[in-house]
Amino acid sequence: MNIPRSNNPRVVIIGGGFGGISLAQKLRKQEVQVVLLDKNNYHTFQPLLYQVSTGGLEPDSIAYPLRKVLIGYDNFFFRLAEVTEILPNKQLLKTTIGEISYDYLVVATGSETNFFGNTELEQHAMAMKSIPQSLNLRSLILENFEQALLTDEYHERDALMNFVIVGGGPTGVELAGALAEIKKGILPKDYPDLDTRRAQINLVQGGDRLLDAMSEKASEKAEKFLEDLGVQVWKNVRVTGYDGKTVRTKTDLVFETATLIWAAGVKGATIKGLDAKELIAGGNRLSVNEFNQVIGFPNIFAIGDIACMQTEEAPRGHPMMAQPAIQQGRKLGENLIRLINGKPLEPFIYKDKGSMATVGRNKAVCDLKNIRFQGVFAWFVWMFVHLFFLIGFRNRVVVFVNWVYNYIRFDREARLIIRPFKRNYDQFRD
Amino acid sequence: MNIPRSNNPRVVIIGGGFGGISLAQKLRKQEVQVVLLDKNNYHTFQPLLYQVSTGGLEPDSIAYPLRKVLIGYDNFFFRLAEVTEILPNKQLLKTTIGEISYDYLVVATGSETNFFGNTELEQHAMAMKSIPQSLNLRSLILENFEQALLTDEYHERDALMNFVIVGGGPTGVELAGALAEIKKGILPKDYPDLDTRRAQINLVQGGDRLLDAMSEKASEKAEKFLEDLGVQVWKNVRVTGYDGKTVRTKTDLVFETATLIWAAGVKGATIKGLDAKELIAGGNRLSVNEFNQVIGFPNIFAIGDIACMQTEEAPRGHPMMAQPAIQQGRKLGENLIRLINGKPLEPFIYKDKGSMATVGRNKAVCDLKNIRFQGVFAWFVWMFVHLFFLIGFRNRVVVFVNWVYNYIRFDREARLIIRPFKRNYDQFRD
């Protein structure tokens, strides 16, 4: 069943992330037909994926049905589809559900884990960019401890209880902090017959400080928080490979571990047909002008992580996080209406609202525009901001209930292996 | 790592359902060593699985970590393992994690879906006895509607929007009611470009009334509630086969559908080594005496769905539901202590607390001991009882929040395809 053509121009948005949703909301009640495509039927609140992995939240609480975003909008269509190719000359998309034409195209595909071409790492490391990936990691963490109970070989047991996180950005820092809290608060009670003091959380950062997009004070404090929690922080160490058992680095340092989590980089999720070398800027992102227009294609736009808008303030493009995506989505919504009405476009100006990361209970770091702070207050601000940007009233309430419960009880009840990850542990038996 | 032997006798419980958990709780602070085995690391609250399938609840809210049940108990061990064989002569279990010996064995394995040997049905029908199965069904229901948007062939579209539920027990009735509410409240908003009035919910019952374990009044009322909601109820119809496209019955009736849900029977989940013909009573259950002892094995017991205790009041054994399991678990806990202390065992006496089923908002039926009622009050009682028996304070709060939200907003926000079921739709293209 083809999507019926209306008299209004058709805007096709690829991707229901922060950018795609903000744009769709701006196009409500405008004289356009909107087609939103996504390979999932839900929006993912990526900043909280690490809490799903560590049993603190239920997966459904950080997902939101995309159809519900569009409920009650006229001339809006959602299709569950993956775009396999863009044919800009024909104004046509090839997708898993057939061809879809467009008048205006907005690429909002976000980013994917970047293994920098290391296929060995890609094969053995765990990524954490989607809900299924986060659930796989949750299962693996729990399976490792169950497996650790079964061996008498203490090297093997240590490797099963050793977690190596590569990448000292917010994802790595937040995941390391959560694992450290599990080690402290849950493992000794859940596994009285296991010496869980031997569990290790190693956070490996290539550069010389954690959270290198934030202030030095934030980096410093985050590292201190992590060390207080018992996380081993390794700086200036580059991981070069992992065969599923041994992590190799550029230095003498090696780790024996059943679990390597790769949070060391993302890259734009480009699509065939719009991936020519001259279109791509740093981070595999689509080069866009100040109107989010893909250079050379007046009716194709890119927003969010996939877009690289190089400006004076942001010579390497904006940070790949929620805020630029939301702001670009909104601005592009206004600009598309202007374009359709023959009015001149307005340039996008990024309003930096700051950034923050949480390490554990009462421990967070915030860099806001004019003020930087760390500790308990930062932690409350972090929670408030995340609840605010989480989509859906029910999600907010359920996440809030879980946070209150986890805080009061020092607990994380979603430590469930709903679908086993089924790692092959044979290689630890030699 | 073997489980260390203590001076106390070892009780091995296979299965962390209602029976296994109630028993374990009774053995707390007693002079026994308890080993609980389960193939999952969580307890499943089976009565609410249909709400997970229909997007009303998150899976993690009706699961509870089994290790947490045992927290703080001395001499308690949990192992994530499936028992593959029981060797009663050696007092030994073969499991997926090696051999485990026992002094007393309690089989609390519950029940599994009974396809009555029909392999064609088993291959193509959806079952709903576990959380992964319920999530698969959730994904399939949603995928069907996304698929229905893609076809111009109206026969195919009707088959994709046709849901056939076989079995008029509580599971079938509750699922049919939930699907009918989705059809009414959610589909028209979520799929404005699809004629969802053509969606059908067919409930097929082999006998001559629904809920045949309840009172006639309850059956009557449940049927009326379902018909008010637009469910088509078929009685005295036996389903004989389903090839993934066409449901065949003993009558002329056929259904073209992409989704057959089989809720027409369960059977005891027996284990090799304790499955000899003479041990088995009706429903593939282990025949037990009034002390839940498996006939002929003084140190092997069975409780819950897997146990068939034939008494005067219950000549075919107790109903396969939560209450008998909970009560038998508690009684056996007391009896095991008596047995170990050389005291005589006390017979189990079932205290029937009644049964209930819900059809939809404000619509439920309750048969309590001395009183039978239907409608709004029954619905509140149903909710209260289910919240009460749900394990875990956090689960109760989260489920309650979801129910309040769903009630006020006529909504079910967990309509998420987290892991696609990936049904093959090709056979509808001919």
Side-chain angles (χ1 to χ4, degrees):
Chain A
M1 210 160 56
N2 285 323
I3 300 165
R5 273 286 184 176
S6 71
N7 291 329
N8 295 325
R10 176 185 287 177
V11 179
V12 175
I13 306 170
I14 311 175
F18 287 112
I21 283 186
S22 306
L23 170 59
Q25 285 166 337
K26 273 281 169 189
L27 295 180
R28 187 177 186 176
K29 292 187 186 165
Q30 300 294 338
E31 296 193 331
V32 290
Q33 180 182 64
V34 175
V35 177
L36 176 64
L37 305 176
D38 199 292
K39 58 187 169 182
N40 293 312
N41 79 334
Y42 55 86
H43 164 84
T44 304
F45 190 73
Q46 293 192 26
L48 292 177
L49 283 173
Y50 81 97
Q51 296 212 4
V52 171
S53 293
T54 51
L57 289 178
E58 325 193 29
D60 301 8
S61 312
I62 65 160
Y64 192 79
L66 280 174
R67 287 198 169 277
K68 198 169 159 169
V69 175
L70 308 181
I71 272 181
Y73 289 30
D74 283 335
N75 216 354
F76 267 69
F77 296 85
F78 172 77
R79 288 293 181 274
L80 184 65
E82 193 161 358
V83 177
T84 51
E85 191 175 353
I86 300 171
L87 305 173
N89 297 336
K90 297 184 179 175
Q91 306 207 150
L92 200 69
L93 305 176
K94 286 191 182 179
T95 81
T96 46
I97 60 165
E99 295 186 341
I100 295 170
S101 62
Y102 63 82
D103 298 312
Y104 300 93
L105 177 67
V106 181
V107 184
T109 46
S111 56
E112 56 194 25
T113 305
N114 193 354
F115 291 98
F116 302 99
N118 189 324
T119 50
E120 191 205 38
L121 269 172
E122 188 166 354
Q123 194 190 333
H124 294 104
M126 304 296 288
M128 208 180 62
K129 276 288 280 179
S130 71
I131 290 181
Q133 283 175 347
S134 301
L135 288 171
N136 283 344
L137 178 57
R138 182 207 278 186
S139 291
L140 177 60
I141 293 167
L142 295 164
E143 284 168 68
N144 283 345
F145 285 99
E146 297 297 334
Q147 189 69 22
L149 281 168
L150 305 180
T151 177
D152 289 312
E153 227 284 81
Y154 80 93
H155 279 302
E156 187 186 334
R157 201 151 61 216
D158 284 351
L160 290 165
M161 300 198 293
N162 186 8
F163 297 88
V164 178
I165 302 158
V166 186
T171 304
V173 166
E174 292 178 341
L175 182 62
L179 284 173
E181 290 196 331
I182 288 174
K183 177 185 167 179
K184 199 173 146 194
I186 290 172
L187 295 183
K189 284 188 268 176
D190 259 15
Y191 299 90
D193 38 344
L194 198 63
D195 186 359
T196 55
R197 288 170 304 180
R198 294 187 67 90
Q200 276 189 57
I201 297 114
N202 290 288
L203 179 62
V204 185
Q205 164 71 320
D208 61 358
R209 63 181 178 105
L210 300 177
L211 301 176
D212 53 12
M214 294 182 70
S215 65
E216 299 223 4
K217 181 74 187 157
S219 302
E220 222 172 83
K221 221 31 196 195
E223 189 173 338
K224 196 188 166 303
F225 285 150
L226 284 170
E227 279 171 353
D228 291 349
L229 282 169
V231 173
Q232 276 157 300
V233 178
W234 307 88
K235 290 179 290 188
N236 297 307
V237 174
R238 282 196 185 274
V239 168
T240 55
Y242 175 55
D243 60 6
K245 192 181 170 195
T246 309
V247 182
R248 305 183 304 279
T249 69
K250 268 201 179 162
T251 68
D252 287 344
L253 194 67
V254 291
F255 300 96
E256 298 283 309
T257 179
T259 318
L260 177 101
I261 300 132
W262 187 258
V266 292
K267 61 178 181 182
T270 49
I271 299 175
K272 192 181 157 191
L274 204 71
D275 56 352
K277 228 176 172 178
E278 58 274 20
L279 299 177
I280 303 294
N284 201 42
R285 298 192 281 172
L286 287 170
S287 200
V288 295
N289 65 16
E290 69 268 42
F291 314 115
N292 280 97
Q293 235 161 355
V294 176
I295 315 292
F297 297 90
N299 65 339
I300 302 184
F301 301 81
I303 53 175
D305 281 9
I306 182 70
C308 185
M309 186 191 292
Q310 287 164 302
T311 63
E312 247 174 68
E313 299 97 319
R316 297 168 59 193
H318 298 102
M320 291 161 86
M321 1 186 269
Q323 271 304 319
I326 293 169
Q327 294 178 30
Q328 287 178 359
R330 287 182 188 153
K331 188 74 194 176
L332 181 58
E334 297 163 15
N335 269 335
L336 279 176
I337 305 305
R338 284 195 193 92
L339 189 63
I340 289 162
N341 295 325
K343 290 183 188 158
L345 301 183
E346 286 180 0
F348 170 75
I349 294 160
Y350 178 51
K351 208 176 145 193
D352 188 357
K353 296 190 171 174
S355 54
M356 47 183 73
T358 187
V359 181
R361 56 189 296 123
N362 303 333
K363 292 183 182 71
V365 294
C366 285
D367 286 356
L368 302 192
K369 187 136 189 161
N370 299 312
I371 179 170
R372 288 168 184 171
F373 49 103
Q374 300 88 26
V376 182
F377 182 64
W379 187 70
F380 276 101
V381 171
W382 180 91
M383 284 201 298
F384 175 79
V385 167
H386 281 72
L387 279 179
F388 181 81
F389 280 101
L390 189 61
I391 290 176
F393 176 74
R394 188 200 68 98
N395 283 350
R396 284 179 197 153
V397 176
V398 172
V399 166
F400 182 71
V401 165
N402 276 292
W403 283 351
V404 170
Y405 180 87
N406 296 348
Y407 187 77
I408 295 173
R409 300 286 291 266
F410 291 81
D411 206 347
R412 284 157 193 266
E413 276 195 0
R415 45 189 193 275
L416 314 164
I417 308 170
I418 299 284
R419 310 223 195 210
F421 177 66
K422 291 190 180 145
R423 190 194 201 289
N424 179 6
Y425 288 110
D426 290 345
Q427 63 194 121
F428 292 93
R429 302 270 152 70
D430 40 22
Chain B
M1 210 160 56
N2 285 325
I3 299 165
R5 271 284 184 179
S6 71
N7 292 328
N8 296 324
R10 176 187 286 177
V11 179
V12 176
I13 306 169
I14 312 176
F18 287 112
I21 283 187
S22 306
L23 171 60
Q25 284 167 337
K26 273 282 167 186
L27 294 178
R28 187 177 184 176
K29 290 186 185 164
Q30 302 294 337
E31 295 194 331
V32 289
Q33 181 182 64
V34 174
V35 178
L36 176 64
L37 306 175
D38 199 291
K39 59 187 170 182
N40 292 313
N41 80 336
Y42 55 85
H43 164 84
T44 303
F45 190 72
Q46 293 192 23
L48 292 178
L49 283 173
Y50 82 97
Q51 296 212 2
V52 172
S53 293
T54 50
L57 289 178
E58 324 194 28
D60 301 9
S61 311
I62 65 160
Y64 192 78
L66 281 173
R67 290 199 168 275
K68 197 168 162 174
V69 175
L70 309 180
I71 273 181
Y73 290 27
D74 282 336
N75 216 356
F76 268 67
F77 295 86
F78 172 77
R79 288 294 182 274
L80 184 65
E82 194 161 355
V83 177
T84 52
E85 192 175 351
I86 300 171
L87 305 172
N89 297 334
K90 298 185 178 172
Q91 305 205 154
L92 201 69
L93 304 176
K94 287 192 180 176
T95 82
T96 45
I97 60 166
E99 295 185 343
I100 295 170
S101 63
Y102 64 83
D103 299 312
Y104 299 94
L105 177 66
V106 182
V107 184
T109 45
S111 56
E112 55 193 26
T113 304
N114 193 354
F115 291 99
F116 303 99
N118 189 325
T119 50
E120 192 207 35
L121 269 172
E122 187 166 356
Q123 194 190 331
H124 294 104
M126 305 296 288
M128 208 179 64
K129 277 288 282 179
S130 71
I131 291 182
Q133 284 176 346
S134 302
L135 288 171
N136 284 343
L137 178 56
R138 183 206 278 184
S139 291
L140 177 60
I141 292 167
L142 296 164
E143 284 167 68
N144 283 344
F145 285 99
E146 297 298 334
Q147 190 69 23
L149 282 168
L150 305 180
T151 177
D152 289 311
E153 227 283 83
Y154 79 95
H155 279 300
E156 187 187 334
R157 201 151 63 215
D158 284 352
L160 289 164
M161 299 199 293
N162 186 9
F163 297 89
V164 178
I165 301 159
V166 186
T171 305
V173 166
E174 292 178 340
L175 182 62
L179 284 173
E181 291 197 331
I182 288 174
K183 178 186 167 180
K184 199 174 145 191
I186 291 172
L187 294 184
K189 283 188 267 175
D190 260 15
Y191 300 90
D193 38 345
L194 198 62
D195 186 359
T196 55
R197 291 169 302 178
R198 294 187 67 90
Q200 276 188 56
I201 298 116
N202 291 288
L203 179 61
V204 185
Q205 165 71 321
D208 61 358
R209 63 182 178 106
L210 301 177
L211 302 176
D212 52 13
M214 293 185 69
S215 65
E216 298 222 2
K217 180 76 188 159
S219 302
E220 221 172 84
K221 224 27 194 185
E223 189 174 336
K224 195 189 167 303
F225 285 151
L226 284 171
E227 280 172 353
D228 290 349
L229 282 169
V231 174
Q232 274 156 303
V233 179
W234 307 87
K235 291 179 290 188
N236 297 307
V237 174
R238 284 197 184 276
V239 168
T240 54
Y242 175 55
D243 59 5
K245 190 182 171 196
T246 309
V247 182
R248 303 182 304 279
T249 68
K250 270 203 178 161
T251 68
D252 286 345
L253 195 67
V254 292
F255 301 97
E256 299 284 309
T257 179
T259 318
L260 178 99
I261 300 131
W262 188 256
V266 292
K267 60 177 180 183
T270 49
I271 299 174
K272 193 181 157 190
L274 203 70
D275 56 353
K277 228 177 174 179
E278 59 273 20
L279 298 176
I280 303 294
N284 200 43
R285 299 192 280 171
L286 287 171
S287 202
V288 296
N289 65 16
E290 69 267 42
F291 314 115
N292 280 98
Q293 236 161 356
V294 177
I295 315 292
F297 298 91
N299 66 338
I300 302 184
F301 301 81
I303 55 174
D305 281 8
I306 182 71
C308 183
M309 184 190 294
Q310 287 162 305
T311 63
E312 248 173 66
E313 298 97 320
R316 298 168 60 192
H318 299 102
M320 293 163 83
M321 1 185 271
Q323 271 304 319
I326 294 169
Q327 294 178 28
Q328 288 178 358
R330 288 183 188 150
K331 189 73 194 175
L332 181 57
E334 296 164 15
N335 270 333
L336 280 175
I337 304 308
R338 286 198 192 90
L339 189 64
I340 289 162
N341 295 326
K343 290 187 189 155
L345 302 183
E346 286 179 359
F348 170 73
I349 293 160
Y350 178 51
K351 211 178 143 193
D352 186 358
K353 295 191 172 172
S355 54
M356 47 183 74
T358 188
V359 182
R361 56 188 297 125
N362 302 334
K363 293 183 183 71
V365 293
C366 284
D367 287 355
L368 302 192
K369 189 141 185 156
N370 299 311
I371 180 171
R372 289 167 182 171
F373 49 102
Q374 300 88 29
V376 182
F377 182 64
W379 187 70
F380 276 101
V381 171
W382 180 93
M383 285 202 298
F384 174 78
V385 167
H386 281 73
L387 280 178
F388 181 82
F389 282 100
L390 189 62
I391 292 177
F393 176 75
R394 187 199 67 97
N395 283 351
R396 285 180 197 152
V397 177
V398 172
V399 167
F400 181 72
V401 164
N402 276 293
W403 284 352
V404 169
Y405 180 85
N406 296 350
Y407 187 78
I408 295 172
R409 301 286 292 265
F410 291 79
D411 207 349
R412 287 156 191 267
E413 275 192 3
R415 45 187 192 275
L416 314 162
I417 307 170
I418 298 286
R419 310 225 197 209
F421 177 68
K422 291 191 181 142
R423 191 196 201 288
N424 180 6
Y425 288 110
D426 290 345
Q427 62 191 121
F428 291 94
R429 301 273 152 68
D430 38 22

